[in-house]
Coordinates of all heavy atoms in Angstrom, one line a residue:
M88 N -16.4 -8.0 -5.4 CA -16.2 -9.3 -5.0 C -15.0 -9.9 -5.6 O -14.2 -10.5 -4.9 CB -17.5 -10.2 -5.4 CG -17.4 -11.6 -5.0 SD -17.7 -11.7 -3.2 CE -17.7 -13.4 -3.0
L89 N -14.8 -9.7 -6.8 CA -13.6 -10.2 -7.5 C -12.3 -9.5 -6.9 O -11.3 -10.1 -6.7 CB -13.6 -10.0 -9.0 CG -12.5 -10.5 -9.8 CD1 -12.3 -12.0 -9.6 CD2 -12.7 -10.2 -11.3
G90 N -12.5 -8.2 -6.6 CA -11.4 -7.4 -6.1 C -11.0 -7.9 -4.7 O -9.8 -8.0 -4.4
N91 N -11.9 -8.3 -3.9 CA -11.6 -8.9 -2.6 C -10.9 -10.2 -2.8 O -9.9 -10.5 -2.0 CB -12.9 -9.2 -1.8 CG -13.6 -7.9 -1.3 OD1 -13.0 -6.9 -1.3 ND2 -14.9 -8.0 -1.0
A92 N -11.3 -11.1 -3.7 CA -10.6 -12.3 -3.9 C -9.1 -12.1 -4.4 O -8.2 -12.8 -3.9 CB -11.3 -13.2 -5.0
I93 N -9.0 -11.1 -5.3 CA -7.6 -10.9 -5.8 C -6.7 -10.3 -4.7 O -5.6 -10.7 -4.5 CB -7.7 -9.9 -7.0 CG1 -8.3 -10.6 -8.2 CG2 -6.3 -9.4 -7.3 CD1 -8.6 -9.6 -9.3
A94 N -7.3 -9.4 -3.8 CA -6.6 -8.8 -2.7 C -6.2 -9.9 -1.7 O -5.1 -9.9 -1.2 CB -7.4 -7.7 -2.1
A95 N -7.1 -10.8 -1.4 CA -6.8 -11.9 -0.5 C -5.7 -12.8 -1.1 O -4.8 -13.3 -0.3 CB -8.1 -12.7 -0.2
F96 N -5.8 -13.1 -2.4 CA -4.8 -14.0 -3.0 C -3.4 -13.3 -2.9 O -2.4 -14.0 -2.5 CB -5.1 -14.3 -4.4 CG -4.1 -15.1 -5.2 CD1 -4.0 -16.4 -4.9 CD2 -3.3 -14.5 -6.1 CE1 -3.0 -17.2 -5.6 CE2 -2.3 -15.2 -6.8 CZ -2.2 -16.6 -6.5
I97 N -3.3 -12.0 -3.2 CA -2.0 -11.3 -3.2 C -1.5 -11.3 -1.7 O -0.3 -11.5 -1.5 CB -2.2 -9.9 -3.8 CG1 -2.4 -10.1 -5.3 CG2 -0.9 -9.1 -3.5 CD1 -2.8 -8.8 -6.0
G98 N -2.4 -10.9 -0.8 CA -2.0 -10.9 0.6 C -1.5 -12.2 1.1 O -0.5 -12.3 1.9
H99 N -2.2 -13.3 0.7 CA -1.8 -14.6 1.1 C -0.4 -15.0 0.6 O 0.4 -15.5 1.3 CB -2.8 -15.6 0.6 CG -2.4 -17.1 0.8 ND1 -2.4 -17.7 2.0 CD2 -1.9 -17.9 -0.2 CE1 -1.9 -18.9 1.8 NE2 -1.6 -19.1 0.5
K100 N -0.2 -14.7 -0.7 CA 1.1 -15.0 -1.3 C 2.2 -14.2 -0.6 O 3.3 -14.7 -0.4 CB 1.1 -14.7 -2.8 CG 0.3 -15.6 -3.6 CD 0.9 -17.0 -3.5 CE 0.2 -18.0 -4.4 NZ 0.7 -19.3 -4.2
I101 N 2.0 -12.9 -0.3 CA 3.0 -12.1 0.4 C 3.3 -12.7 1.8 O 4.5 -12.8 2.2 CB 2.6 -10.7 0.4 CG1 2.6 -10.1 -1.0 CG2 3.5 -9.9 1.4 CD1 2.0 -8.7 -1.0
D102 N 2.3 -13.0 2.5 CA 2.4 -13.5 3.9 C 3.0 -14.9 3.9 O 3.8 -15.3 4.8 CB 1.1 -13.5 4.6 CG 1.2 -13.8 6.1 OD1 2.3 -13.4 6.7 OD2 0.3 -14.3 6.7
A103 N 2.7 -15.8 2.9 CA 3.2 -17.1 2.9 C 4.6 -17.2 2.3 O 5.2 -18.3 2.4 CB 2.3 -18.0 2.0
S104 N 5.2 -16.1 1.9 CA 6.5 -16.2 1.3 C 7.6 -16.5 2.4 O 8.7 -16.9 2.0 CB 6.9 -14.8 0.7 OG 6.9 -13.8 1.7
D105 N 7.3 -16.4 3.7 CA 8.3 -16.7 4.7 C 8.2 -18.2 5.1 O 8.9 -18.7 6.0 CB 8.1 -15.9 5.9 CG 6.7 -16.0 6.6 OD1 5.9 -16.8 6.1 OD2 6.5 -15.4 7.6
G106 N 7.3 -19.0 4.4 CA 7.2 -20.4 4.7 C 6.2 -20.8 5.7 O 6.0 -22.0 5.9
E107 N 5.6 -19.8 6.3 CA 4.5 -20.1 7.3 C 3.1 -19.9 6.6 O 3.1 -19.7 5.4 CB 4.7 -19.3 8.5 CG 6.0 -19.6 9.2 CD 6.2 -18.7 10.4 OE1 5.3 -18.0 10.8 OE2 7.3 -18.8 11.0
G108 N 2.1 -19.8 7.4 CA 0.7 -19.6 6.9 C 0.6 -18.3 6.2 O 1.4 -17.4 6.3
G109 N -0.6 -18.1 5.5 CA -0.8 -16.8 4.8 C -2.2 -16.3 5.1 O -2.6 -15.4 4.4
A110 N -2.9 -16.8 6.1 CA -4.2 -16.3 6.4 C -4.3 -14.9 6.9 O -5.1 -14.1 6.5 CB -4.9 -17.2 7.5
V111 N -3.3 -14.5 7.7 CA -3.2 -13.1 8.1 C -3.0 -12.1 7.0 O -3.6 -11.1 6.9 CB -2.2 -12.9 9.2 CG1 -2.0 -11.5 9.6 CG2 -2.5 -13.8 10.4
G112 N -2.2 -12.5 6.0 CA -1.9 -11.7 4.9 C -3.2 -11.6 4.0 O -3.4 -10.5 3.4
A113 N -4.0 -12.7 3.9 CA -5.2 -12.6 3.1 C -6.2 -11.6 3.7 O -6.8 -10.8 3.0 CB -5.8 -14.0 3.0
V114 N -6.3 -11.7 5.1 CA -7.2 -10.7 5.7 C -6.7 -9.3 5.6 O -7.4 -8.3 5.3 CB -7.3 -11.1 7.2 CG1 -8.1 -10.0 8.0 CG2 -8.0 -12.4 7.4
A115 N -5.4 -9.1 5.7 CA -4.8 -7.8 5.6 C -4.9 -7.3 4.1 O -5.2 -6.1 3.9 CB -3.3 -7.8 6.0
G116 N -4.8 -8.1 3.2 CA -5.0 -7.7 1.8 C -6.4 -7.2 1.5 O -6.6 -6.2 0.9
V117 N -7.4 -8.0 2.0 CA -8.8 -7.5 1.8 C -9.1 -6.2 2.6 O -9.7 -5.3 2.0 CB -9.8 -8.7 2.3 CG1 -11.2 -8.2 2.3 CG2 -9.6 -9.9 1.4
A118 N -8.5 -6.1 3.8 CA -8.7 -4.8 4.6 C -8.1 -3.7 3.8 O -8.7 -2.6 3.8 CB -8.1 -5.0 5.9
A119 N -6.9 -3.9 3.3 CA -6.2 -2.8 2.5 C -7.0 -2.4 1.3 O -7.2 -1.2 1.0 CB -4.8 -3.2 2.2
W120 N -7.6 -3.4 0.6 CA -8.4 -3.2 -0.6 C -9.6 -2.4 -0.3 O -10.0 -1.4 -0.9 CB -8.7 -4.5 -1.3 CG -9.7 -4.4 -2.4 CD1 -11.0 -4.8 -2.3 CD2 -9.6 -3.7 -3.6 NE1 -11.6 -4.5 -3.5 CE2 -10.8 -3.8 -4.3 CE3 -8.5 -3.1 -4.2 CZ2 -11.0 -3.3 -5.6 CZ3 -8.7 -2.6 -5.5 CH2 -9.9 -2.7 -6.2
K121 N -10.3 -2.7 0.8 CA -11.5 -2.0 1.2 C -11.2 -0.6 1.6 O -12.0 0.3 1.3 CB -12.3 -2.8 2.3 CG -12.9 -4.1 1.8 CD -13.7 -4.7 2.9 CE -14.3 -6.0 2.3 NZ -15.7 -6.2 2.6
A122 N -10.1 -0.4 2.3 CA -9.7 0.9 2.7 C -9.4 1.8 1.5 O -9.7 3.0 1.4 CB -8.6 0.9 3.7
A123 N -8.6 1.2 0.6 CA -8.2 1.9 -0.6 C -9.4 2.3 -1.5 O -9.4 3.4 -2.1 CB -7.3 1.1 -1.5
K124 N -10.5 1.5 -1.5 CA -11.7 1.9 -2.3 C -12.4 3.1 -1.7 O -13.1 3.8 -2.4 CB -12.6 0.7 -2.3 CG -12.2 -0.4 -3.2 CD -13.3 -1.4 -3.5 CE -14.0 -1.9 -2.3 NZ -15.0 -3.0 -2.6
T125 N -12.2 3.3 -0.4 CA -12.8 4.5 0.2 C -11.9 5.7 0.2 O -12.3 6.8 0.0 CB -13.2 4.1 1.7 OG1 -14.0 3.0 1.7 CG2 -13.9 5.3 2.4
V126 N -10.6 5.5 0.5 CA -9.7 6.6 0.7 C -9.3 7.2 -0.6 O -9.3 8.5 -0.7 CB -8.4 6.1 1.5 CG1 -7.3 7.1 1.5 CG2 -8.8 5.7 2.9
I127 N -9.0 6.5 -1.6 CA -8.5 7.0 -2.9 C -9.5 8.0 -3.5 O -9.2 9.1 -3.9 CB -8.0 5.9 -3.8 CG1 -6.8 5.3 -3.3 CG2 -7.8 6.5 -5.2 CD1 -6.3 4.1 -4.0
P128 N -10.8 7.6 -3.6 CA -11.7 8.6 -4.2 C -11.9 9.8 -3.3 O -12.0 10.9 -3.9 CB -13.1 7.8 -4.2 CG -12.7 6.4 -4.3 CD -11.4 6.3 -3.5
A129 N -11.8 9.7 -2.0 CA -11.9 10.9 -1.2 C -10.7 11.8 -1.4 O -10.8 13.0 -1.4 CB -11.9 10.4 0.3
V130 N -9.5 11.2 -1.5 CA -8.3 12.0 -1.7 C -8.4 12.7 -3.1 O -8.0 13.9 -3.2 CB -7.0 11.1 -1.7 CG1 -5.8 11.8 -2.2 CG2 -6.8 10.6 -0.3
L131 N -8.9 12.0 -4.1 CA -9.0 12.7 -5.4 C -10.1 13.8 -5.3 O -9.8 14.9 -5.9 CB -9.5 11.7 -6.5 CG -8.4 10.6 -6.8 CD1 -9.0 9.6 -7.8 CD2 -7.2 11.3 -7.5
F132 N -11.2 13.6 -4.6 CA -12.2 14.6 -4.5 C -11.7 15.9 -3.8 O -11.8 17.0 -4.3 CB -13.4 14.0 -3.7 CG -14.5 15.0 -3.4 CD1 -15.3 15.4 -4.4 CD2 -14.6 15.5 -2.1 CE1 -16.3 16.4 -4.1 CE2 -15.6 16.4 -1.9 CZ -16.5 16.9 -2.9
F133 N -11.0 15.7 -2.6 CA -10.5 16.8 -1.9 C -9.3 17.5 -2.5 O -9.1 18.7 -2.4 CB -10.2 16.4 -0.4 CG -11.4 16.1 0.4 CD1 -11.7 14.9 0.9 CD2 -12.3 17.1 0.6 CE1 -12.8 14.6 1.7 CE2 -13.5 16.9 1.4 CZ -13.7 15.6 1.9
G134 N -8.5 16.7 -3.3 CA -7.4 17.3 -4.0 C -8.0 18.2 -5.2 O -7.4 19.2 -5.4
A135 N -9.0 17.7 -5.8 CA -9.6 18.6 -6.9 C -10.2 19.8 -6.3 O -10.1 20.9 -6.9 CB -10.7 17.8 -7.6
I136 N -10.8 19.8 -5.1 CA -11.3 21.0 -4.5 C -10.2 21.9 -4.1 O -10.2 23.1 -4.4 CB -12.1 20.6 -3.2 CG1 -13.5 20.0 -3.7 CG2 -12.4 21.8 -2.4 CD1 -14.3 19.5 -2.5
A137 N -9.1 21.4 -3.5 CA -8.0 22.2 -3.2 C -7.3 22.8 -4.4 O -7.0 24.0 -4.4 CB -6.9 21.4 -2.4
W138 N -7.2 22.1 -5.5 CA -6.6 22.6 -6.7 C -7.6 23.7 -7.3 O -7.1 24.8 -7.7 CB -6.5 21.5 -7.8 CG -5.9 22.1 -9.1 CD1 -4.6 22.3 -9.4 CD2 -6.7 22.5 -10.2 NE1 -4.5 22.8 -10.6 CE2 -5.8 22.9 -11.2 CE3 -8.1 22.5 -10.5 CZ2 -6.2 23.4 -12.4 CZ3 -8.5 22.9 -11.7 CH2 -7.5 23.4 -12.7
G139 N -8.9 23.5 -7.2 CA -9.8 24.5 -7.7 C -9.7 25.8 -6.9 O -9.7 26.9 -7.5
I140 N -9.6 25.7 -5.6 CA -9.5 26.9 -4.7 C -8.2 27.6 -5.1 O -8.2 28.8 -5.2 CB -9.5 26.5 -3.2 CG1 -11.0 26.0 -2.9 CG2 -9.1 27.6 -2.4 CD1 -11.1 25.4 -1.5
Q141 N -7.1 26.9 -5.2 CA -5.8 27.5 -5.5 C -5.9 28.2 -6.9 O -5.4 29.3 -7.1 CB -4.7 26.5 -5.5 CG -3.3 27.0 -5.8 CD -2.2 26.0 -5.8 OE1 -2.5 24.8 -5.7 NE2 -1.0 26.4 -5.9
Y142 N -6.5 27.5 -7.9 CA -6.6 28.1 -9.2 C -7.4 29.4 -9.2 O -7.0 30.3 -9.8 CB -7.3 27.0 -10.1 CG -7.5 27.5 -11.5 CD1 -6.4 27.6 -12.4 CD2 -8.7 27.9 -12.0 CE1 -6.6 28.0 -13.7 CE2 -8.9 28.4 -13.3 CZ -7.8 28.5 -14.1 OH -8.0 28.9 -15.4
L143 N -8.6 29.3 -8.5 CA -9.4 30.5 -8.4 C -8.7 31.7 -7.7 O -8.8 32.8 -8.1 CB -10.7 30.2 -7.8 CG -11.6 29.3 -8.6 CD1 -12.9 28.9 -7.8 CD2 -12.0 30.0 -10.0
A144 N -7.9 31.3 -6.7 CA -7.2 32.4 -5.9 C -6.1 33.0 -6.8 O -5.8 34.2 -6.7 CB -6.6 31.7 -4.7
S145 N -5.4 32.2 -7.6 CA -4.4 32.7 -8.5 C -4.9 33.5 -9.6 O -4.3 34.4 -10.1 CB -3.5 31.6 -9.0 OG -4.2 30.8 -10.0
Q146 N -6.2 33.3 -10.0 CA -6.8 34.1 -11.1 C -7.1 35.5 -10.6 O -7.0 36.4 -11.3 CB -8.1 33.4 -11.5 CG -7.9 32.1 -12.2 CD -7.1 32.3 -13.5 OE1 -7.3 33.2 -14.3 NE2 -6.1 31.4 -13.6
G147 N -7.3 35.7 -9.3 CA -7.5 37.0 -8.7 C -6.3 37.8 -8.7 O -6.3 39.0 -8.7
D148 N -5.1 37.2 -8.7 CA -3.8 37.9 -8.6 C -3.5 38.5 -10.0 O -2.7 39.5 -10.1 CB -2.7 37.0 -8.2 CG -2.8 36.5 -6.8 OD1 -3.6 37.1 -6.0 OD2 -2.2 35.4 -6.5
D149 N -4.0 38.0 -11.1 CA -3.7 38.4 -12.4 C -4.4 39.8 -12.7 O -3.9 40.5 -13.6 CB -4.1 37.4 -13.5 CG -3.3 36.2 -13.4 OD1 -2.2 36.2 -12.8 OD2 -3.7 35.1 -13.9
A150 N -5.5 40.0 -12.1 CA -6.3 41.2 -12.4 C -5.7 42.5 -11.8 O -5.0 42.6 -10.9 CB -7.7 41.0 -12.0

């Protein structure tokens, strides 16, 4: 909840910097925050799996 408020505030400030309204920026900020909360853990998870596969494959080359 606090993250949504912070994302909306930052998005509003970025969008309002041109002198017009900032409602669209607030919505975009919250949408980006919600997407990042889902995408970043998934990227870390799949990156760790890929690194593990590469690590195990390289261990077979040493023998």
